[in-house]
């Protein structure tokens, strides 16, 4: 259906297969798989070879006629046949996933082309580096524990590097794709990459020059962006915990949801109070991924694991909380992942949740200090609404888990 719609929109009359033909090809794939169970897999192979011959002949005919060198419709036709066979063999979920991916690729072709055009050579290298980090490095790392308390495992540590690097890279690419869509959205998307960078950028901008965007109106928009960036950090924390420790994530989702609603509620309140016309602004973000950054995070993550273990062994729960608060000052990802890995039993979940909350609130307090030191007085007064909402909600849950 998508292929037919695209051809009609582009006013192209010829195509390899239309709506009816694709439906028949899917049925052919299903029946070929059915018959192969009676006669042998050779029948499915012959049917697939015939389909390939049909596609090749059609491609040659069409490309000779109008100079069309694309192969999207041809590949889609082959996939349709294979999807029919997958459904017969019972891989329905896999077939549905493939269908969704194919439809997204076909439907958003212009957006994907525009996205690729926006990428710089540095960003392409970042994507290649991430593939190397995630697919080529980890198979060669030893899967055994070593070090103090037999705590470190290079393969596990590198998995955390992949998780954090991948999350930041995706946020960065989304920011590139979204582009200049307004200050609040820029803050939210930028927060997926680095909420600290967003806070620094808009705090400094609130004091620069004498344009309209540095006045009261600008302070409203900058405050929305900062609060949105700081708030989006909490769902990111929940996502990281879910990947590492799903049982802990099932206990953590409620405080994270409440804090997120409080933060975005504060941003929405600031939005309702804004004055002046709508304003759009760009947010310069640096590429978050390179080998140096990945190695630094791996070392920092290992250090945080040791700090948490040492503090809990020698100072009990108080030591764990102190380690969380101190680690959160510089990086909330490392302490979040460390605690999630170490919380192996339900009785440890309250301490783990409180440590993660302390780290996140400590990190948020650092951003509040950035606004206080680098931002204008009007920005501080406005952004304080969102910060107070986040701190109040987070500390309420901390006290609940501490006392009950």
């Amino acid at each position: 259906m998508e292929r037919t719609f695209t051809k009609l929109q582009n006013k192209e009359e010829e195509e390899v297969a239309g709506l009816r033909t694709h439906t028949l090809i899917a049925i052919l794939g299903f029946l070929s798989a059915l018959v192969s169970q009676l006669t042998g897999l050779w029948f499915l192979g012959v049917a697939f070879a015939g389909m390939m011959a049909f596609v090749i002949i059609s491609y040659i005919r069409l490309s000779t006629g109008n100079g069309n060198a694309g192969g999207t419709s041809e590949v889609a036709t082959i996939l349709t046949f294979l999807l029919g066979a997958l459904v017969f063999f019972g891989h329905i979920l896999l077939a549905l996933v493939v269908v969704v991916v194919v439809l997204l690729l076909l439907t958003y072709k212009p957006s994907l082309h525009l996205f690729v055009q926006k990428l710089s050579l540095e960003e392409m290298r970042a994507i290649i580096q991430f593939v190397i980090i995630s697919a080529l490095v980890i198979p060669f790392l030893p899967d055994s524990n070593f070090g103090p308390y037999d705590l470190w495992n290079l393969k596990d540590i590198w998995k955390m590097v992949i998780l954090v690097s991948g999350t930041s890279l995706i946020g960065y690419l989304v920011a590139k794709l979204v582009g200049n869509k307004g200050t609040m959205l820029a803050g939210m998307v930028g927060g997926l990459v680095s909420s600290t960078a967003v806070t620094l950028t808009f705090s400094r901008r609130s004091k620069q020059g004498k344009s309209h965007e540095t006045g009261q109106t600008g302070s409203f928009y900058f405050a929305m962006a900062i609060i949105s960036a700081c708030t989006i950090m909490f769902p990111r924390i929940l996502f990281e915990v879910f990947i590492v420790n799903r049982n802990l994530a099932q206990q953590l989702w409620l405080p994270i949801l409440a804090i997120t609603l409080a933060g975005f509620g504060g941003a929405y309140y600031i939005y309702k109070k804004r004055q002046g016309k709508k304003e759009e602004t760009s947010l310069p973000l640096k590429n978050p991924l390179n080998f140096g950054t990945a190695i630094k995070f791996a070392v920092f993550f290992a250090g945080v694991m040791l700090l948490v273990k040492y503090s809990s062994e020698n100072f009990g729960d108080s030591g764990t909380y102190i380690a969380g608060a101190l680690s959160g000052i510089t990086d909330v990802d490392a302490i979040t992942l460390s605690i999630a890995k170490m919380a192996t039993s339900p009785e440890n979940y309250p301490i783990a949740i409180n440590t993660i909350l302390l780290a996140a609130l400590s990190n948020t307090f650092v951003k509040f200090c950035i606004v206080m030191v680098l931002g204008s007085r009007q920005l501080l007064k406005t952004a304080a609404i969102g910060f107070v909402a986040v701190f109040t909600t987070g500390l309420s849950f901390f006290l609940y888990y501490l006392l009950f």
Side-chain angles (χ1 to χ4, degrees):
M1 182 180 295
E2 192 282 334
R3 290 285 81 198
T4 300
F5 177 79
T6 301
K7 295 294 182 180
L8 291 175
Q9 289 292 100
N10 296 331
K11 295 181 170 54
E12 298 176 9
E13 295 182 358
E14 290 190 289
E15 56 181 328
V16 174
L19 173 60
R20 292 179 300 171
T21 307
H22 274 284
T23 304
L24 291 174
I25 290 172
I27 296 174
L28 176 63
F30 182 89
L31 292 178
S32 298
L34 172 63
V35 175
S36 69
Q37 281 211 330
L38 303 175
T39 61
L41 287 177
W42 64 267
F43 185 88
L44 181 60
V46 170
F48 182 70
M51 175 57 55
M52 289 291 294
F54 164 75
V55 170
I56 292 172
I57 293 172
S58 300
Y59 176 78
I60 293 174
R61 181 177 62 85
L62 291 177
S63 61
T64 302
N66 57 22
N68 175 27
T72 304
S73 296
E74 290 76 11
V75 175
T77 303
I78 296 171
L79 285 173
T80 302
F81 178 89
L82 295 176
L83 286 170
L86 277 177
V87 170
F88 172 79
F89 287 120
H91 300 290
I92 298 176
L93 180 60
L94 175 60
L96 287 174
V97 171
V98 173
V99 167
V100 171
V101 172
V102 170
L103 285 176
L104 288 174
L105 290 174
L106 294 176
T107 304
Y108 290 98
K109 174 183 175 181
S111 299
L112 290 172
H113 284 187
L114 181 62
F115 170 68
V116 173
Q117 291 174 3
K118 288 184 176 182
L119 291 179
S120 65
L121 179 60
E122 181 186 2
E123 289 150 4
M124 285 300 300
R125 286 174 179 168
I127 296 174
I128 295 171
Q129 286 178 352
F130 179 71
V131 173
I132 294 173
I133 288 172
S134 57
L136 298 182
V137 173
I138 198 166
F140 297 98
L141 295 176
D143 190 11
S144 57
N145 289 14
F146 69 98
Y149 304 103
D150 207 25
L151 186 64
W152 296 324
N153 182 300
L154 287 180
K155 191 176 287 287
D156 287 342
I157 290 174
W158 202 252
K159 287 179 181 178
M160 300 304 104
V161 173
I162 294 171
L163 175 59
V164 174
S165 299
T167 304
S168 297
L169 181 61
I170 290 173
Y172 178 74
L173 295 177
V174 169
K176 290 286 292 186
L177 183 61
V178 170
N180 183 13
K181 299 294 185 181
T183 311
M184 186 171 181
L185 183 58
M188 290 178 61
V189 177
L192 294 174
V193 184
S194 173
S195 52
T196 303
V198 174
T199 306
L200 280 168
T201 298
F202 287 124
S203 294
R204 287 169 177 165
R205 196 173 293 179
S206 68
K207 278 188 173 181
Q208 291 174 352
K210 297 182 179 180
S211 64
H212 77 280
E213 74 171 19
T214 59
Q216 187 178 30
T217 302
S219 295
F220 277 102
Y221 285 105
F222 295 154
M224 281 193 299
I226 291 172
I227 297 303
S228 298
C230 294
T231 302
I232 205 70
M233 175 186 69
F234 289 91
R236 172 176 169 148
I237 288 172
L238 182 62
F239 170 74
E240 292 175 349
V241 173
F242 178 80
I243 296 298
V244 176
N245 190 334
R246 295 190 178 186
N247 292 328
L248 177 61
Q250 291 176 356
Q251 304 295 320
L252 183 62
W253 73 267
L254 182 59
I256 292 295
L257 176 63
I259 295 171
T260 303
L261 291 176
F264 283 128
Y268 180 74
Y269 178 76
I270 296 171
Y271 170 79
K272 296 296 289 185
K273 287 185 63 178
R274 80 195 190 287
Q275 299 178 9
K277 298 180 180 180
K278 290 185 178 181
E279 174 248 358
E280 291 189 355
T281 187
S282 60
L283 177 63
L285 290 173
K286 292 184 178 180
N287 191 333
L289 182 64
N290 56 60
F291 286 119
T293 302
I295 293 173
K296 287 177 184 177
F297 180 80
V299 173
F300 184 71
F301 176 71
V304 169
M305 288 184 67
L306 180 59
L307 175 62
V308 171
K309 186 68 176 179
Y310 176 82
S311 300
S312 61
E313 289 286 336
N314 292 275
F315 305 105
D317 296 348
S318 300
T320 305
Y321 292 153
I322 294 172
L326 292 176
S327 300
I329 292 175
T330 56
D331 188 287
V332 73
D333 294 318
I335 184 64
T336 297
L337 294 171
S338 299
I339 293 297
K341 284 182 63 64
M342 293 180 180
T344 55
S345 57
E347 56 266 23
N348 294 329
Y349 289 169
I351 299 173
I353 292 173
N354 265 355
T355 304
I356 292 172
L357 289 178
L358 268 181
L361 292 176
S362 172
N363 192 270
T364 305
F365 181 73
V366 170
K367 293 157 194 168
F368 177 75
C369 291
I370 291 174
V371 173
M372 187 166 51
V373 173
L374 299 180
S376 65
R377 178 178 295 183
Q378 182 62 42
L379 176 67
L380 177 61
K381 288 172 58 178
T382 308
I385 298 171
F387 280 115
V388 168
V390 170
F391 286 132
T392 302
T393 308
L395 289 175
S396 298
F397 275 96
F398 176 82
L399 293 174
Y400 172 81
Y401 285 106
L402 185 67
L403 298 176
F404 301 100

